[in-house]
Amino acid sequence: MAERMLQFVRVPQQTPVKRAAEVRKHDFREIYDRFRPEKAAEQASRCSQCGVPFCQVHCPLNNNIPDWLKLTAEGRLEEAYEVASATNTFPEICGRVCPQDRLCEGNCVIEKGFESVTIGAVEKYIVDTAWERGWVKPARPPRELPHSVGIIGAGPAGLAAADQLRSRGWQVTVYDRYDRVGGLLIYGIPNFKLEKEVVLRRWRQFEEAGIRFVLNCEVGRDIPFAELRARHDAVLIATGVYKARDIAVPGADLPGVVAALDYLTAANRIGLGDHVPDYESGALDAAGKHVVVIGGGDTAMDCVRTAVRQGAASVSCLYRRDRANMPGSMREVANAEEEGVGFVWLSAPEAFLGDNRVRAVRAVRMHLGLPDASGRQSVEPIPGSSFERKADLVIKALGFDPEDLPAAFGEPALAVSRWGTIKVDHRTMMTALPGVFAAGDIVRGASLVVWAIRDGRDAAEQIESWVLAHKAAPAMAAE
Ligand code: FAD
Ligand code: SF4
Ligand code: SF4
């Protein structure tokens, strides 16, 4: 091992080639090329195979990172794929969209002065190679079991649970109100971070594995929640969070002021070849417009970068705190800046101006005050500092809250927290309703793909234990 690994002293950190901003901003393709095989092996060999790998500790899936890095450095890619896929349902997706700087790579402990191992890029390389070489196979359950689970939501949490249970022989039905599988992987996250074929090929495999998808089916509207409970031995709620937070300022309802997810979903649908009337009418198309995006999270970054690619005349992002205090990933901010986005830090909208449609944003400068009870610095407007910014399209990207699920499902006993997220027993992931489990954003609030996968996999374990303890005997007898 020794001579192959520990190469960080000799080999500098290199990420896969990032396409030049001038080129990539004219298309929606992913911005990073893939590692060449020798580069992947070389970068993997920088790992020092720590006794206590902090990269692994800080990966929500506790991926066995040192092992797959070593196997990649040795050219044993099929084994590296086996290790990477043992703990992760979608390693190639995490390699693309995890904020690695805050998770695995941010905790890589290569000695000071040497930059971290490029874990995410190697993970993506291993699994994309596995797909190309036909190593990624649909789950083949050893035998069919009579147990049945109904999963509400085909996002990463629901799919991770579906995959785990199906691979053990369960009868799995996933219900989703959308017409495609993937949740925010398909309609939220833009192509330039995650090309849709990467999600679609997983969908095809899940179908080949025998997972049943009931699409265009909103539970609570098209099918009663109670009916799902009667149909299945257990139910998993993995519905995500979709209620957009709003801004209570004058003009917030003017035509031309739109919600981030409406905008991004339209762009993703166009990329998938769908007919989107609101895009075709121009309402959700930034071409030729002066675009102002409000917010400082990853959704805001996705909006500004989508607007650039649609050919906006100008794109700026208004955020009420400064760069150091923004919630979005620094890597995404840097990508947006390279692509020509202007950031207006420490400013908040006071009003959206216009008669029949928006023509400008009036904003006020802010300053950061003392930390509040949460430890975050408060923000205060600076009197008399208002300014106007021209805008033909304003995109509100202020975050998401859960919908009122007890009302939507007609099930008042489904307990929720004061934020509206579903309450679960964190050891069993079961809600207040026996046999009903919940996972992903609907439990955590808006979070990350990798946490949704973790939750979905954990929920599968808990569902299995609960059904075996409570329902297995009669169901097995019926076999
Ligand atoms: P979702 O992915 O939201 O899936 C929930 C599914 O449930 C949806 O398909 C929905 O249609 C369905 N559903 C809801 N209600 C019903 C119902 N009543 N009946 C039937 N179906 C229903 N995370 C990252 O890690 N990296 C990123 O780069 C990143 N970028 C993001 C960009 C955007 C624009 C957004 C909005 C989020 C981003 N995230 C990112 C967060 C990440 O996408 C989510 O944390 C993750 O998708 C949550 O997974 P989930 O399965 O809980 O929910
Ligand atoms: Fe890092 Fe995410 Fe992969 Fe874990 S799943 S190793 S956090 S990129
Ligand atoms: Fe390798 Fe860094 Fe993980 Fe240590 S922390 S095992 S050097 S990737």
Side-chain angles (χ1 to χ4, degrees):
M1 181 275 272
E3 72 281 8
R4 238 186 247 281
M5 303 306 286
L6 288 156
Q7 298 297 330
F8 65 90
V9 281
R10 190 180 62 80
V11 178
Q13 185 199 57
Q14 262 186 359
T15 54
V17 174
K18 183 157 72 164
R19 295 193 297 126
E22 269 318 307
V23 176
R24 69 182 194 244
K25 72 186 200 184
H26 298 294
D27 66 52
F28 280 83
R29 285 178 39 225
E30 285 179 9
I31 72 166
Y32 293 98
D33 288 342
R34 184 161 2 132
F35 271 138
R36 292 196 315 277
E38 63 281 9
K39 270 286 161 225
E42 188 184 71
Q43 287 296 305
S45 76
R46 295 181 67 243
C47 168
S48 62
Q49 300 283 285
C50 303
V52 180
F54 281 98
C55 55
Q56 180 169 0
V57 172
H58 289 271
C59 164
L61 291 159
N62 294 127
N63 283 337
N64 194 343
I65 299 164
D67 277 13
W68 90 47
L69 289 172
K70 180 165 178 289
L71 290 164
T72 306
E74 293 170 353
R76 293 158 65 187
L77 279 186
E78 193 163 359
E79 290 162 85
Y81 163 68
E82 294 299 333
V83 176
S85 59
T87 48
N88 191 350
T89 317
F90 302 113
E92 74 284 27
I93 295 180
C94 292
R96 287 170 163 85
V97 304
C98 273
Q100 286 102 9
D101 47 344
R102 283 190 266 146
L103 300 170
C104 52
E105 293 179 16
N107 290 280
C108 170
V109 293
I110 285 186
E111 281 168 44
K112 270 209 170 341
F114 297 94
E115 287 179 299
S116 68
V117 178
T118 50
I119 300 168
V122 175
E123 186 176 22
K124 167 176 176 279
Y125 167 79
I126 295 167
V127 185
D128 281 349
T129 307
W131 274 97
E132 265 169 30
R133 303 209 184 156
W135 302 333
V136 185
K137 298 270 191 291
R140 295 262 176 259
R143 65 193 171 116
E144 291 297 329
L145 296 173
H147 319 313
S148 127
V149 62
I151 297 178
I152 314 173
L159 293 176
D163 180 54
Q164 291 289 295
L165 290 168
R166 183 63 200 136
S167 61
R168 291 172 210 170
W170 278 56
Q171 309 310 310
V172 179
T173 309
V174 183
Y175 302 82
D176 202 292
R177 63 184 172 191
Y178 285 153
D179 55 345
R180 288 189 178 89
V181 162
L184 289 172
L185 301 179
I186 197 94
Y187 287 137
I189 301 177
N191 247 41
F192 49 82
K193 278 163 59 183
L194 173 62
E195 282 176 11
K196 296 309 156 210
E197 178 52 25
V198 175
V199 184
L200 298 174
R201 68 188 176 187
R202 283 279 174 191
W203 175 11
R204 289 193 289 271
Q205 277 221 337
F206 288 143
E207 286 192 323
E208 280 177 53
I211 295 174
R212 201 171 150 248
F213 290 100
V214 182
L215 301 179
N216 298 304
C217 174
E218 181 167 333
V219 175
R221 189 192 65 187
D222 302 317
I223 180 171
F225 177 68
E227 191 176 320
L228 246 61
R229 290 188 76 192
R231 264 190 208 176
H232 302 286
D233 295 318
V235 169
L236 175 67
I237 303 175
T239 49
V241 290
Y242 283 86
K243 195 168 84 189
R245 289 192 194 132
D246 216 340
I247 323 177
V249 298
D253 294 331
L254 275 175
V257 180
V258 303
L261 205 52
D262 293 346
Y263 175 69
L264 292 174
T265 303
N268 276 318
R269 280 194 179 281
I270 290 297
L272 285 156
D274 291 357
H275 165 57
V276 184
D278 280 344
Y279 178 86
E280 283 140 25
S281 72
L284 294 176
D285 181 2
K289 293 181 181 158
H290 295 279
V291 179
V292 175
V293 176
I294 318 284
D298 286 334
T299 302
M301 294 310 104
D302 289 348
C303 290
V304 288
R305 298 178 65 205
T306 298
V308 166
R309 284 161 175 76
Q310 288 178 342
S314 72
V315 184
S316 48
C317 178
L318 236 65
Y319 181 54
R320 63 197 184 122
R321 296 171 191 270
D322 59 4
R323 178 192 288 266
N325 285 287
M326 79 182 287
S329 144
M330 282 303 128
R331 187 180 61 183
E332 297 305 304
V333 177
N335 285 335
E337 281 180 325
E338 286 171 13
E339 290 165 12
V341 174
F343 284 84
V344 190
W345 307 110
L346 291 164
S347 8
E350 285 184 317
F352 302 124
L353 310 174
D355 298 324
N356 302 320
R357 61 170 296 117
V358 70
R359 61 165 177 79
V361 176
R362 195 177 72 227
V364 61
R365 303 264 174 219
M366 311 293 280
H367 76 87
L368 290 170
L370 294 171
D372 61 16
S374 71
R376 234 176 152 206
Q377 278 177 286
S378 60
V379 277
E380 306 283 345
I382 302 173
S385 66
S386 297
F387 64 98
E388 275 186 28
R389 203 163 183 103
K390 186 172 168 49
D392 318 298
L393 179 65
V394 173
I395 305 173
K396 297 178 285 184
L398 296 139
F400 303 95
D401 288 315
E403 286 150 23
D404 183 350
L405 269 199
F409 286 177
E411 185 45 271
L414 184 65
V416 294
S417 71
R418 64 191 168 99
W419 299 279
T421 50
I422 296 188
K423 271 193 187 164
V424 293
D425 174 331
H426 284 285
R427 286 159 309 165
T428 63
M429 303 185 76
M430 196 151 85
T431 67
L433 306 173
V436 177
F437 298 76
D441 279 5
I442 190 59
V443 176
R444 294 179 178 273
S447 177
L448 294 174
V449 170
V450 66
W451 279 114
I453 298 170
R454 170 67 196 263
D455 288 354
R457 293 172 70 97
D458 286 352
E461 298 261 325
Q462 297 302 327
I463 289 170
E464 185 168 47
S465 310
W466 187 86
V467 169
L468 290 179
H470 292 84
K471 298 214 173 175
M476 294 300 280
E479 199 180 20

